[in-house]
């Protein structure tokens, strides 16, 4: 093991490798900050160019891009309420209110350090707990995944907003939207309205952009600037450093969120889009001031950002140990592994121990490179909030149209974005939370596939969803989640009175 | 009532129209889904029908609660007053919404760059920016960056407009 580790360190600290990591991180941050241009897109773009590289160089470059892109998606989330990808959807909840309150610098600082530390913690966990974590992740079969998806949705519906029923309506609306394409097991077309673009999947990136960015434009146009008053704002590095300090002073939140990110990332099919919500909810429920979450609580940003970057490490667990990608990006990396002749699976660490360890170690270096680069550019990024909205709104509109179009190249997806922009506006006017809808659309395909496979496995017997200890515990948690808040509001006055 | 709506003069008709819009959209999607898929193999529909059933229960209870609350509240304004007040508060947002729809229609007919130019200029003008130099400068800078980064470097094939030059050559912009 020592020999493998030493050889891996030697490999990673070569100047050429360090340069590749830095370039990968910078490219990843830039690409990730373009709304709709996710880590998966960026890593996929590199795949053809990586064929001429050494296998380990190609994979280290991809890991660096992955780390950079995962952070990059937080930048538009913080500054213009537009998550670069679903991984930063929970970041907007507290980061954008912080920006509107004149503290974009601190929000950026928190997101930088929480991302970096989350990524490093995940890399440490990955280095030492690769095998045990893989076995925990695979305790989750199809029935467990279905109930876990419902639990995720229920807890988000309860945690976001004041009205559980409105949250659940938004969540189930999202699940129904996600169930519009063809049946995943029989390919039977369902509600596609005759559009072939809807046959395969409902594109969730245009939906996320529509709900957050387009609906925000309708509000933003009525203001002079994102941040109305710049009198008390600090546009130097000092607020970014204040964000660093806040992150360091939240070790519990940081460790817990990074742990959640690593574990959720290790569960195939989930990933950063789910992990950031779970961490945010856990941070909110364990806070002494839960009401301030969603209104600009810095701890919400710590939770979301630490977890979504920790997913990069977690998602490598099933990819490396079992050959099953934990996320879209690691699916592309899996293709790269196979392309370069590295067969993932239990033998990977025996046959390619140095290479696998070098990939994990490169995550440390990539996160350090991220810290330096993101800190350097933060001072300049913050100034976006002072631009007049008469410039910003048309510019954001053009960028969102490109983002919606970029993923699949369909104008149809741009229409989806516009429709969900209007839906998002109506929902926000009447206090229907957007997050459960987003999560419903993201979790929908996971939940439906798990439901259908579970039913197939059991010969159409729904009792399979109550058959294991994990499912029973999850059902109890769902019940508690939904019942607890109304029960608490009825019981508390009795005791108070 | 949300904080965003406090400035709109409220009437019973307006409350019904606006508050029930999203719940009715949910119900409508459920009904359309069920009618479009009725008679398909049961296996493909177990999950979505389960989702529709839960969505219906939640939505109908919310609609009933909202209607009851509207019925119990005394409103002073008429529907026309509410709509006029709504337009006064949200007129710029309505321009952005209409501009966005026109933009997407234009993209498919005149290409991305020309459509973006037209919509950016129109939205900047409508939102109060009257300095032609600023409007032209911001639009030119944004579109130049978009062209270089997304079309030239990334190679994104955004819809483009073919322009026939006098010599017979075609240029795509």
């Amino acid at each position: 093991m020592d020999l493998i580790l030493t050889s891996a360190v030697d490999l990673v600290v070569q100047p050429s490798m360090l340069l590749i990591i830095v370039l990968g991180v910078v490219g990843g941050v830039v690409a990730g900050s373009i709304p709709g241009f996710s880590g998966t897109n960026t890593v996929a773009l590199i795949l053809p160019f990586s064929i001429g590289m050494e296998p380990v160089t190609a994979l280290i470059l991809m890991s660096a891009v992955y780390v950079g892109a995962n952070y990059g998606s937080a930048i538009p989330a913080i500054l213009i309420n537009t998550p670069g990808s679903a991984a930063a959807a929970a970041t907007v909840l507290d980061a954008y209110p912080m920006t509107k309150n004149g503290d974009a610098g601190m929000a950026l600082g928190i997101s930088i350090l929480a991302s970096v530390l989350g990524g490093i913690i995940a890399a440490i966990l990955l280095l030492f707990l690769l095998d045990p974590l893989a076995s925990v992740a695979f305790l989750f079969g199809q029935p467990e995944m279905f109930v876990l998806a419902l639990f995720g949705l229920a807890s988000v519906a309860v945690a976001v907003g004041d009205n559980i029923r409105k949250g659940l309506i938004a969540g189930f609306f999202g699940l129904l939207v996600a169930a519009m394409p063809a049946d995943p097991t029989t390919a039977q077309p369902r509600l596609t309205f005759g559009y072939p673009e809807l046959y395969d999947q409902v594109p969730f990136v245009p939906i996320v952009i529509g709900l957050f960015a387009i609906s925000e434009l309708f509000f933003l146009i009525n203001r002079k600037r994102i941040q109305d008053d710049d009198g008390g704002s600090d546009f130097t590095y000092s607020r970014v450093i204040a964000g660093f300090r806040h992150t360091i002073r939240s070790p519990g939140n940081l460790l817990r969120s990074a742990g959640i990110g690593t574990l959720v990332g290790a569960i195939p099919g989930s990933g950063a889009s789910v992990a950031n919500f779970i961490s945010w909810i856990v941070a909110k429920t364990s806070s002494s001031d839960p009401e301030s979450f969603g209104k600009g609580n810095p701890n919400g940003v710590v939770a979301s950002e630490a977890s979504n970057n920790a997913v990069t490490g977690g998602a490598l667990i099933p990819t490396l140990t079992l050959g099953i990608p934990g996320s879209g990006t690691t699916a592309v990396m899996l293709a790269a592994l196979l392309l370069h002749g590295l067969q993932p699976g239990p033998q990977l660490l025996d046959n390619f121990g140095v290479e696998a360890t070098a990939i994990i170690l490169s995550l440390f270096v990539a996160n350090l490179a991220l810290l330096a680069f993101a800190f350097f550019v933060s001072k300049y990024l913050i100034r976006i909030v002072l631009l007049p909205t008469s410039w910003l709104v048309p510019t954001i509109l053009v960028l969102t149209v490109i983002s919606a179009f970029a993923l699949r190249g369909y104008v149809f997806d741009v229409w989806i974005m516009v429709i969900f922009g209007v839906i998002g506006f109506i929902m926000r006017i009447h206090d229907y939370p957007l997050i459960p809808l987003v999560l419903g659309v993201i979790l929908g395909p996971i939940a439906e596939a798990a439901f259908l496979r579970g039913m197939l496995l059991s010969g159409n017997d729904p009792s399979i969803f109550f058959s294991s200890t994990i499912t029973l515990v999850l059902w109890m948690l769902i019940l508690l989640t939904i019942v607890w808040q109304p029960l608490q509001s009825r019981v508390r006055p009795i005791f108070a009175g | 009532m949300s904080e965003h709506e406090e400035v709109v003069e409220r009437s019973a008709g307006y409350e019904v129209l606006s508050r029930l819009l999203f719940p009715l959209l949910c119900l409508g999607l459920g009904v359309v889904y069920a009618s479009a898929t009725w008679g398909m193999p049961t296996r493909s529909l177990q999950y979505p029908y389960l989702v529709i059933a839960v969505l219906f229960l939640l939505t109908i209870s919310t609609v009933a609660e909202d209607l009851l609350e509207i019925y119990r509240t005394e409103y002073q304004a008429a529907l026309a007053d509410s709509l006029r007040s709504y337009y006064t508060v949200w007129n710029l947002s309505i321009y952005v919404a209409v501009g966005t729809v026109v933009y997407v229609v234009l993209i498919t007919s005149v290409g991305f760059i020309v459509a973006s130019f037209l919509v950016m200029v129109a939205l900047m003008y409508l939102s109060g920016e009257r300095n032609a130099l600023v409007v032209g400068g911001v639009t030119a800078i944004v579109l130049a960056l978009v062209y270089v980064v997304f079309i030239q470097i990334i190679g994104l094939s955004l819809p483009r407009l073919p322009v026939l030059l006098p010599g017979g050559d075609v240029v795509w912009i």
Side-chain angles (χ1 to χ4, degrees):
Chain A
M1 181 65 192
D2 284 348
L3 188 65
I4 289 176
L5 196 63
T6 316
S7 309
V9 170
D10 289 343
L11 197 63
V12 172
V13 296
Q14 288 173 30
S16 60
M17 201 62 90
L18 291 176
L19 183 67
I20 280 173
I21 292 171
V22 171
L23 290 176
V25 167
V26 171
V29 171
V30 172
S33 64
I34 301 169
F37 216 75
S38 64
T40 311
N41 300 113
T42 323
V43 175
L45 266 179
I46 296 168
L47 187 60
F49 301 107
S50 75
I51 294 171
M53 295 177 186
E54 286 289 314
V56 72
T57 311
L59 285 155
I60 284 175
L61 173 65
M62 287 181 171
S63 303
V65 170
Y66 190 15
V67 168
N70 247 18
Y71 168 72
S73 63
I75 296 170
I78 293 165
L79 298 175
I80 53 172
N81 199 33
T82 308
S85 71
T91 305
V92 297
L93 294 174
D94 284 296
Y96 188 62
M98 284 178 77
T99 297
K100 287 209 284 190
N101 295 336
D103 221 349
M106 186 170 179
L108 273 175
I110 291 172
S111 74
I112 294 167
L113 199 63
S115 291
V116 167
L117 294 178
I120 289 175
I121 292 165
I124 294 169
L125 289 174
L126 185 61
L127 200 58
F128 295 105
L129 302 172
L130 196 60
D131 281 343
L133 277 176
S135 53
V136 170
F138 282 86
L139 287 175
F140 282 74
Q142 298 304 327
E144 287 81 9
M145 282 302 290
F146 174 67
V147 190
L148 183 67
L150 290 185
F151 171 62
L153 198 68
S155 44
V156 166
V158 171
V160 182
D162 303 324
N163 188 322
I164 297 175
R165 206 165 14 173
K166 283 185 172 178
L168 287 172
I169 288 174
F172 275 85
F173 180 67
L175 288 180
L176 185 58
V177 168
M180 283 164 61
D183 178 332
T185 54
T186 62
Q188 168 78 48
R190 295 182 294 192
L191 188 63
T192 58
F193 296 105
Y195 290 105
E197 293 91 340
L198 272 180
Y199 182 84
D200 185 33
Q201 58 166 321
V202 173
F204 70 78
V205 170
I207 292 177
V208 172
I209 297 172
L211 285 173
F212 287 103
I214 297 292
S215 74
E216 180 62 22
L217 294 185
F218 300 146
F219 291 103
L220 205 57
I221 195 76
N222 294 299
R223 303 164 67 111
K224 289 270 178 233
R225 296 181 171 89
I226 290 178
Q227 183 189 314
D228 282 333
D229 175 23
D230 64 336
S233 296
D234 187 347
F235 293 98
T236 61
Y237 286 123
S238 62
R239 291 309 293 161
V240 181
I241 292 167
F244 285 6
R245 268 193 228 108
H246 179 90
T247 309
I248 292 165
R249 286 175 190 153
S250 320
N253 188 5
L254 197 65
L255 281 169
R256 184 181 55 221
S257 305
I260 290 170
T262 311
L263 192 63
V264 174
I267 299 171
S270 43
S273 48
V274 179
N276 69 132
F277 284 113
I278 296 178
S279 298
W280 186 84
I281 291 162
V282 173
K284 181 182 174 178
T285 47
S286 54
S287 164
S288 57
D289 183 21
E291 283 78 22
S292 65
F293 275 72
K295 293 168 187 157
N297 189 320
N299 291 319
V301 187
V302 173
S304 171
E305 284 302 300
S307 70
N308 68 18
N309 231 31
V311 167
T312 51
L316 282 174
I317 294 169
T319 313
L320 295 176
T321 56
L322 293 143
I324 299 170
S327 68
T329 314
T330 47
V332 181
M333 289 171 75
L334 182 69
L337 275 171
L338 296 169
L339 203 66
H340 287 284
L342 300 178
Q343 183 65 47
Q347 295 85 29
L348 181 84
L349 287 175
D350 297 332
N351 299 340
F352 303 100
V354 176
E355 287 84 350
T357 312
I359 293 167
I360 297 167
L361 285 177
S362 72
L363 293 177
F364 287 96
V365 184
N367 277 292
L368 292 175
L370 174 64
L371 178 64
F373 177 67
F375 178 68
F376 173 71
V377 296
S378 60
K379 181 179 157 181
Y380 306 99
L381 289 171
I382 306 167
R383 295 186 173 272
I384 287 176
V385 299
L386 290 183
L387 291 176
T389 53
S390 57
W391 302 10
L392 271 180
V393 169
T395 306
I396 295 171
L397 181 62
V398 169
L399 292 177
T400 52
V401 165
I402 295 172
S403 308
F405 184 84
L407 206 62
R408 305 198 297 174
Y410 297 147
V411 175
F412 177 84
D413 288 356
V414 182
W415 281 117
I416 293 275
M417 178 190 77
V418 175
I419 291 166
F420 276 88
V422 176
I423 291 175
F425 178 72
I426 296 167
M427 288 174 72
R428 287 172 70 174
I429 286 276
H430 295 290
D431 288 338
Y432 282 89
L434 302 180
I435 298 292
L437 201 168
V438 172
L439 200 62
V441 176
I442 292 168
L443 286 177
I446 300 170
E448 182 171 17
F451 176 85
L452 288 169
R453 287 188 201 123
M455 292 294 267
L456 277 172
L457 284 171
S458 66
N460 240 13
D461 179 7
S463 69
I464 192 168
F465 299 109
F466 303 88
S467 59
S468 71
T469 315
I470 294 176
T471 53
L472 288 175
V473 170
L474 286 169
W475 280 117
M476 279 166 60
L477 286 172
I478 291 173
L479 199 68
L480 266 176
T481 307
I482 295 172
V483 171
W484 179 248
Q485 197 179 319
L487 200 70
Q488 206 181 19
S489 61
R490 279 166 201 267
V491 168
R492 198 179 280 163
I494 297 171
F495 285 101
Chain B
M1 183 180 61
S2 109
E3 59 181 307
H4 302 300
E5 266 217 316
E6 280 165 7
V7 276
V8 176
E9 270 187 63
R10 299 165 72 207
S11 67
Y14 170 78
E15 286 294 304
V16 172
L17 276 177
S18 70
R19 281 167 70 164
L20 300 190
L21 209 53
F22 183 65
L24 290 178
L25 177 73
C26 295
L27 288 175
L29 185 68
V31 169
V32 171
Y33 197 110
S35 60
T37 55
W38 198 254
M40 283 182 186
T42 327
R43 178 154 287 173
S44 303
L45 299 174
Q46 280 172 335
Y47 170 82
Y49 280 16
L50 191 71
V51 171
I52 290 171
V54 179
L55 185 63
F56 267 44
L57 280 176
L58 292 164
T59 311
I60 288 169
S61 63
T62 303
V63 168
E65 199 177 85
D66 278 350
L67 285 176
L68 206 63
E69 197 187 313
I70 293 167
Y71 176 74
R72 284 178 182 156
T73 313
E74 279 187 31
Y75 296 97
Q76 304 298 323
L79 177 62
D81 297 330
S82 294
L83 293 177
R84 208 174 297 119
S85 141
Y86 182 88
Y87 178 77
T88 312
V89 173
W90 294 110
N91 61 351
L92 282 176
S93 311
I94 293 168
Y95 296 156
V96 174
V98 173
T100 307
V101 172
V102 172
Y103 181 27
V104 187
V105 173
L106 280 176
I107 286 173
T108 47
S109 51
V110 299
F112 176 78
I113 296 290
V114 177
S116 301
F117 174 80
L118 295 173
V119 168
M120 280 193 78
V121 169
L123 280 182
M124 285 174 84
Y125 183 82
L126 286 171
S127 56
E129 184 57 73
R130 298 294 150 86
N131 185 333
L133 204 65
V134 171
V135 172
V138 172
T139 308
I141 290 169
V142 170
L143 292 183
L145 280 173
V146 162
Y147 185 80
V148 171
V149 174
F150 293 99
I151 298 176
Q152 293 300 320
I153 298 175
I154 296 178
L156 205 61
S157 57
L158 290 158
R160 292 162 87 175
L161 176 70
V163 177
L164 191 66
L165 296 177
D169 292 334
V170 175
V171 174
W172 292 79
I173 56 169

